Amino acid sequence: MNKLLQAKIAGVRVLKLRGEITEDNFSFFVRGVNHALRFIGLQYDADNHSILEATSAMYDYSNTDLTQIKLTQLAYFKRGFFLVAETVENAGELPIELKDESEIIREL
């Protein structure tokens, strides 16, 4: 599943490299990815383009500030979050905590 997630994330990274999305939007995408990954004990390292076991929090997982950001930033956050959530769900490994968090994120 890690390889599949890396490939899906790489697709969005290519869009950033082509200039089709901004660095800021990609940052929110990665934040969403990591927000979801933490529920399965993983994190995405954007510098090395790999998914690692989460030994320490690389990102702030609080979503309290998400109500005060631009709509496009929120959209990229959600895109990253749901990319992971749907991939985990399709693999049959969706923890109840991630499912509950999906409902919260969906309502933002």
Side-chain angles (χ1 to χ4, degrees):
M1 181 177 62
N2 289 5
K3 297 276 186 202
L4 177 59
L5 283 169
Q6 284 176 332
K8 289 181 175 185
I9 295 166
V12 177
R13 187 172 157 267
V14 166
L15 295 176
K16 180 189 77 136
L17 295 172
R18 289 182 183 162
E20 295 177 31
I21 64 172
T22 65
E23 181 68 41
D24 187 50
N25 288 341
F26 183 72
S27 175
F28 274 93
F29 171 80
V30 170
R31 183 174 165 191
V33 165
N34 278 314
H35 189 73
L37 284 175
R38 79 181 178 105
F39 290 97
I40 56 173
L42 300 172
Q43 64 189 17
Y44 176 71
D45 181 0
D47 294 332
N48 295 314
H49 317 296
S50 59
I51 294 178
L52 312 167
E53 297 230 0
T55 55
S56 63
M58 290 177 59
Y59 300 92
D60 176 17
Y61 293 114
S62 170
N63 59 9
T64 56
D65 66 325
L66 293 177
T67 58
Q68 303 169 5
I69 61 175
K70 295 177 187 175
L71 214 49
T72 55
Q73 294 169 328
L74 180 59
Y76 276 98
F77 175 87
K78 286 183 170 186
R79 182 177 177 181
F81 182 88
F82 288 114
L83 178 139
V84 172
E86 290 168 5
T87 303
V88 171
E89 183 176 25
N90 289 338
E93 303 173 16
L94 187 67
I96 191 71
E97 296 87 0
L98 181 55
K99 184 177 182 180
D100 292 345
E101 187 71 7
S102 293
E103 293 304 315
I104 294 168
I105 299 299
R106 191 170 277 114
E107 293 177 9
L108 289 176

